[in-house]
Amino acid sequence: MQDLYGLPITCDNDATRQGIDDFVHGFISFQPKAANVLKAAKADPGNGLANAYAAILYMLLEAPIAPKLAQPFLDNARKAKVVTPREAASIKAASLFVAGEIVKLIAHCEATVTAHPRDMVMLKLGQYHTFNIGDFPAMLRIAQKAQTGAADIAYAHGMLAFGFEECHLLNEAETAARHALTLDPSEPWAHHALAHVYLTRGQVQEGTTFLESVAHHWSDLNSFMHSHNWWHLALFYISAGRHDDLLTAYDTHVWGLSKDYSQDQVGAVSLLARMEFAGVDVGDRWQDVADHVAKRGADTTSPFLSLQYLFALGRTQKAEAEALLNAFEARAEDTTRHDHQTWADVAIWAAHGIAAHAAGDYDDTIRFLGKALPRMAECGGSHAQRDLFEQIHLDALVRASRTSQAQQVLEMRRTFDPDGVPLNAMLADVYDASGLPEQAKAARARIPAAIHSDG
């Protein structure tokens, strides 16, 4: 048999083959059908590829329990008697993922894509892990290696687009994303790449119009891609001062789809924080998010995720914040893990900065986050997502009356958000505090009259 992209698979069972195809396509298109591989693997424990994919799926939970859930499927995959070399590579990838050998896994994914450029799972998995450690040139390199054999696959071009974008190659990113959409107008990762391009260029109206025009494609996607593309649209609503649309997007599309999932939780945390920094009254929305985050305990699966968990717990003054901060300390001291330096040199300082912000100690927020910000990419997340930490630092500068520093940050931010409503409102206040009324007046003039009339 062959999978949906024509790659040979060791399989004589139609149900198993369908489960494999559902995982491959579901994984790269962000559709819930990816989970169908679990049923297929359980029904066919002797199939190496189905069980390797099931193990990988569980690892994508991004939770401390993930390796335990993945292990039985990995054990089955390793026992498979007959597999192709490419299937053996998938089993090895699952093994490295479960073992936490991420550096080796990334190299293995790249080698597999080089040998089998239509292997979209290995391409996606390689990009996932290079993204999580902030190695964006590697993200791009892996995607480029797939192009020789996957020119007809829209998702390969969507992944190429995001690799370009995270390397700040915006023109190339736009070209790749738009090509992906000529092959499949519904490709959500290409939508996502273009959202990044518009955001980075400061094209708020263009980005809003585009995302609103394709949002109908996201309704049947998994909770991450549905909520995350709406999260991007919400960023444009923040800039434009569209508070009603912003709150509706949050309540309908960002929070509530899968409240126990890591990515849904941090999407809600980061959007609520941004909303408050922009002066939006979010009511009691923090409590439900923090209650679900608190159930994770001292989860240090990922520094990028854990920092946002900590912000939610600190923002709501939950007792679990202290335990999580202690877990940061322990991870920073653990020299056995591949990302030790990130935890010791970056994440721990960012964590103390976030804890200080929650305590209202803005001088320490500035001091600790100032140590972490230059290297935050190592913690993972896109530059759009990591901007949360920049905004926490900026909020502390404003609250600590560090007007000269705040002015510098705000004017730099205005280069990519020139007409941003909350940004110009903050600038006006900072210029007033700095004794520069003409500059304050100019900042207020950039805020639409409709926003002024609505208060």
Side-chain angles (χ1 to χ4, degrees), residues 11-34:
C11 182
D12 56 8
N13 183 309
D14 283 335
T16 302
R17 180 196 56 77
Q18 188 61 56
I20 289 170
D21 281 353
D22 284 349
F23 176 75
V24 174
H25 190 250
F27 183 31
I28 61 176
S29 67
F30 301 93
Q31 295 183 33
K33 67 180 180 180

Short mmCIF file of all heavy atoms in Angstrom, two decimals, residues 11-34:
data_model
loop_
_atom_site.label_atom_id
_atom_site.label_comp_id
_atom_site.label_asym_id
_atom_site.label_seq_id
_atom_site.Cartn_x
_atom_site.Cartn_y
_atom_site.Cartn_z
N CYS A 11 1.54 -2.36 5.10
CA CYS A 11 0.17 -2.42 5.61
C CYS A 11 -0.67 -3.27 4.67
O CYS A 11 -0.54 -3.16 3.44
CB CYS A 11 -0.39 -1.00 5.69
SG CYS A 11 -2.05 -0.90 6.36
N ASP A 12 -1.53 -4.13 5.23
CA ASP A 12 -2.46 -4.90 4.42
C ASP A 12 -3.89 -4.75 4.95
O ASP A 12 -4.74 -5.59 4.71
CB ASP A 12 -2.05 -6.38 4.39
CG ASP A 12 -1.93 -6.99 5.79
OD1 ASP A 12 -2.32 -6.31 6.76
OD2 ASP A 12 -1.46 -8.13 5.88
N ASN A 13 -4.11 -3.66 5.67
CA ASN A 13 -5.40 -3.44 6.32
C ASN A 13 -5.89 -2.04 5.95
O ASN A 13 -5.22 -1.04 6.24
CB ASN A 13 -5.21 -3.58 7.85
CG ASN A 13 -6.51 -3.44 8.61
OD1 ASN A 13 -7.25 -2.47 8.42
ND2 ASN A 13 -6.78 -4.39 9.49
N ASP A 14 -7.05 -1.98 5.31
CA ASP A 14 -7.57 -0.68 4.87
C ASP A 14 -7.82 0.27 6.04
O ASP A 14 -7.59 1.48 5.92
CB ASP A 14 -8.86 -0.88 4.08
CG ASP A 14 -8.61 -1.38 2.67
OD1 ASP A 14 -7.51 -1.14 2.16
OD2 ASP A 14 -9.52 -2.02 2.10
N ALA A 15 -8.29 -0.26 7.17
CA ALA A 15 -8.57 0.60 8.32
C ALA A 15 -7.28 1.20 8.88
O ALA A 15 -7.24 2.37 9.27
CB ALA A 15 -9.30 -0.19 9.40
N THR A 16 -6.22 0.40 8.89
CA THR A 16 -4.93 0.91 9.36
C THR A 16 -4.40 1.97 8.41
O THR A 16 -3.92 3.03 8.84
CB THR A 16 -3.91 -0.24 9.48
OG1 THR A 16 -4.43 -1.23 10.36
CG2 THR A 16 -2.58 0.27 10.01
N ARG A 17 -4.50 1.68 7.11
CA ARG A 17 -4.04 2.67 6.13
C ARG A 17 -4.81 3.97 6.28
O ARG A 17 -4.21 5.06 6.22
CB ARG A 17 -4.21 2.13 4.71
CG ARG A 17 -3.75 3.13 3.63
CD ARG A 17 -4.28 2.75 2.25
NE ARG A 17 -5.72 2.63 2.23
CZ ARG A 17 -6.56 3.67 2.22
NH1 ARG A 17 -6.11 4.90 2.23
NH2 ARG A 17 -7.87 3.46 2.22
N GLN A 18 -6.10 3.90 6.50
CA GLN A 18 -6.90 5.11 6.66
C GLN A 18 -6.48 5.87 7.90
O GLN A 18 -6.41 7.10 7.90
CB GLN A 18 -8.38 4.78 6.73
CG GLN A 18 -9.29 6.02 6.69
CD GLN A 18 -9.12 6.81 5.41
OE1 GLN A 18 -9.28 6.27 4.31
NE2 GLN A 18 -8.77 8.09 5.52
N GLY A 19 -6.18 5.15 8.98
CA GLY A 19 -5.71 5.81 10.20
C GLY A 19 -4.39 6.52 9.98
O GLY A 19 -4.17 7.63 10.50
N ILE A 20 -3.50 5.90 9.22
CA ILE A 20 -2.21 6.53 8.89
C ILE A 20 -2.44 7.79 8.06
O ILE A 20 -1.87 8.85 8.36
CB ILE A 20 -1.32 5.53 8.14
CG1 ILE A 20 -0.84 4.42 9.10
CG2 ILE A 20 -0.12 6.24 7.50
CD1 ILE A 20 -0.16 3.26 8.41
N ASP A 21 -3.27 7.67 7.04
CA ASP A 21 -3.55 8.84 6.19
C ASP A 21 -4.21 9.96 6.99
O ASP A 21 -3.90 11.15 6.78
CB ASP A 21 -4.45 8.44 5.02
CG ASP A 21 -3.69 7.76 3.90
OD1 ASP A 21 -2.44 7.71 3.97
OD2 ASP A 21 -4.33 7.28 2.94
N ASP A 22 -5.11 9.58 7.89
CA ASP A 22 -5.78 10.61 8.70
C ASP A 22 -4.78 11.34 9.59
O ASP A 22 -4.89 12.56 9.78
CB ASP A 22 -6.87 9.97 9.57
CG ASP A 22 -8.13 9.63 8.78
OD1 ASP A 22 -8.24 10.05 7.63
OD2 ASP A 22 -9.00 8.94 9.35
N PHE A 23 -3.79 10.61 10.09
CA PHE A 23 -2.79 11.29 10.90
C PHE A 23 -1.93 12.21 10.05
O PHE A 23 -1.70 13.38 10.40
CB PHE A 23 -1.89 10.31 11.64
CG PHE A 23 -0.79 11.00 12.40
CD1 PHE A 23 -1.07 11.67 13.59
CD2 PHE A 23 0.50 11.05 11.91
CE1 PHE A 23 -0.07 12.36 14.28
CE2 PHE A 23 1.51 11.74 12.59
CZ PHE A 23 1.21 12.39 13.78
N VAL A 24 -1.45 11.71 8.92
CA VAL A 24 -0.58 12.52 8.07
C VAL A 24 -1.28 13.81 7.67
O VAL A 24 -0.75 14.92 7.88
CB VAL A 24 -0.15 11.73 6.82
CG1 VAL A 24 0.63 12.63 5.87
CG2 VAL A 24 0.69 10.52 7.20
N HIS A 25 -2.47 13.67 7.11
CA HIS A 25 -3.17 14.86 6.63
C HIS A 25 -3.68 15.71 7.79
O HIS A 25 -3.60 16.95 7.75
CB HIS A 25 -4.32 14.46 5.71
CG HIS A 25 -4.93 15.62 4.98
ND1 HIS A 25 -6.18 16.10 5.26
CD2 HIS A 25 -4.42 16.42 4.00
CE1 HIS A 25 -6.44 17.14 4.48
NE2 HIS A 25 -5.39 17.35 3.71
N GLY A 26 -4.17 15.06 8.83
CA GLY A 26 -4.67 15.82 9.98
C GLY A 26 -3.59 16.60 10.69
O GLY A 26 -3.82 17.74 11.12
N PHE A 27 -2.41 16.03 10.78
CA PHE A 27 -1.29 16.69 11.45
C PHE A 27 -0.88 17.96 10.71
O PHE A 27 -0.70 19.02 11.32
CB PHE A 27 -0.12 15.71 11.53
CG PHE A 27 1.10 16.20 12.25
CD1 PHE A 27 1.02 17.12 13.30
CD2 PHE A 27 2.36 15.73 11.90
CE1 PHE A 27 2.16 17.56 13.98
CE2 PHE A 27 3.51 16.15 12.57
CZ PHE A 27 3.39 17.07 13.60
N ILE A 28 -0.78 17.89 9.40
CA ILE A 28 -0.28 19.05 8.65
C ILE A 28 -1.38 20.05 8.30
O ILE A 28 -1.09 21.20 7.98
CB ILE A 28 0.47 18.62 7.37
CG1 ILE A 28 -0.45 17.86 6.42
CG2 ILE A 28 1.70 17.80 7.74
CD1 ILE A 28 0.20 17.49 5.09
N SER A 29 -2.65 19.61 8.37
CA SER A 29 -3.76 20.51 8.04
C SER A 29 -4.51 20.96 9.28
O SER A 29 -5.49 21.68 9.17
CB SER A 29 -4.73 19.83 7.08
OG SER A 29 -5.38 18.74 7.70
N PHE A 30 -4.07 20.47 10.48
CA PHE A 30 -4.66 20.87 11.76
C PHE A 30 -6.13 20.44 11.85
O PHE A 30 -6.97 21.17 12.38
CB PHE A 30 -4.52 22.38 11.97
CG PHE A 30 -3.10 22.85 11.97
CD1 PHE A 30 -2.51 23.30 10.80
CD2 PHE A 30 -2.34 22.81 13.12
CE1 PHE A 30 -1.18 23.72 10.78
CE2 PHE A 30 -1.01 23.22 13.12
CZ PHE A 30 -0.43 23.67 11.95
N GLN A 31 -6.40 19.24 11.40
CA GLN A 31 -7.74 18.70 11.49
C GLN A 31 -7.81 17.65 12.59
O GLN A 31 -6.87 16.87 12.79
CB GLN A 31 -8.17 18.11 10.15
CG GLN A 31 -8.30 19.14 9.05
CD GLN A 31 -8.81 18.55 7.75
OE1 GLN A 31 -9.60 17.61 7.75
NE2 GLN A 31 -8.36 19.09 6.64
N PRO A 32 -8.95 17.56 13.30
CA PRO A 32 -9.08 16.61 14.41
C PRO A 32 -8.92 15.15 14.00
O PRO A 32 -8.63 14.31 14.86
CB PRO A 32 -10.50 16.88 14.93
CG PRO A 32 -10.81 18.27 14.51
CD PRO A 32 -10.12 18.45 13.18
N LYS A 33 -9.08 14.85 12.72
CA LYS A 33 -8.99 13.46 12.29
C LYS A 33 -7.61 12.84 12.54
O LYS A 33 -7.47 11.62 12.47
CB LYS A 33 -9.35 13.33 10.80
CG LYS A 33 -8.35 13.98 9.86
CD LYS A 33 -8.78 13.80 8.40
CE LYS A 33 -7.80 14.44 7.42
NZ LYS A 33 -8.24 14.26 6.02
N ALA A 34 -6.61 13.66 12.85
CA ALA A 34 -5.29 13.11 13.19
C ALA A 34 -5.39 12.10 14.32
O ALA A 34 -4.64 11.12 14.36
CB ALA A 34 -4.33 14.24 13.56
#
